[in-house]
Amino acid sequence: MSLTFTLDPAVTPDLRDGILGLWTDVSNAGGSVGFVPPVTAEVIRPDLVKHLVAMAEGRTRLLVGHDADGRVAATAFLTHNTHRLMAHWLWLYTVMVHPRHQGRGYGRDLLAAAEGAARGLDGIEAIRLTCRGGLGLERFYGSCGYKEVGRVPGAIRVAPGDDRDDIIMLLPLG
């Protein structure tokens, strides 16, 4: 069984709540998506609203994966650069697969769908993302074709005395 991916789905209350639930569950499972567990949906909601506003303004595109039951199981936000000299690549943010679906290859499927979506956008030549060090994420992204192009040691403070590298990854589309 695989996920069904949709680029730019209609943002309904069910979709919004599904993304919020996914983000909360991924965060509380230790996922590297901007929060440290324990976290509640109400803490995450303002960040989701920022993504939704950027979508409404045409700066961000949403890629969502639904499971066989129609539940939100994966997401990624493709965000255009606003700087005129960097408009040829985009950011991939908030890449998530629900913990109940991990280990089935859905993360690779999500990244392949994001690559396909980016290839369909005029003038986009690369995808850039960052990930938190200490979790092996750079190896996962590397196995999906991304190259590490930069690292800022200790840039992410997960907790006092627990600083992680901010790792910059790039996938050329050419």
Side-chain angles (χ1 to χ4, degrees), residues 15-34:
L15 178 65
R16 181 200 61 223
D17 293 346
I19 296 169
L20 188 58
L22 169 67
W23 204 339
T24 303
D25 291 347
V26 167
S27 296
N28 284 324
S32 175
V33 287

Side-chain angles (χ1 to χ4, degrees), residues 144-162:
C144 294
Y146 286 77
K147 305 285 186 239
E148 182 177 327
V149 295
R151 183 179 288 251
V152 182
I156 300 169
R157 179 153 294 155
V158 177
D162 186 0

Side-chain angles (χ1 to χ4, degrees), residues 5-12 15 19 52 55 61-66 72 75-76:
F5 292 99
T6 307
L7 181 64
D8 300 327
V11 179
T12 64
L15 178 65
I19 296 169
L52 296 175
M55 288 168 54
R61 314 276 300 266
L62 169 63
L63 177 65
V64 64
H66 286 92
V72 174
T75 62

Side-chain angles (χ1 to χ4, degrees), residues 45-93:
R45 187 180 306 279
D47 282 36
L48 175 57
V49 168
K50 288 177 187 174
H51 282 309
L52 296 175
V53 168
M55 288 168 54
E57 294 173 349
R59 296 181 289 118
T60 295
R61 314 276 300 266
L62 169 63
L63 177 65
V64 64
H66 286 92
D67 64 18
D69 296 324
R71 293 180 294 187
V72 174
T75 62
F77 291 89
L78 294 87
T79 301
H80 295 278
N81 281 292
T82 56
H83 193 286
R84 68 181 94 35
L85 301 179
M86 297 182 192
H88 59 289
W89 59 268
L90 57 77
W91 284 102
L92 193 61
Y93 288 118

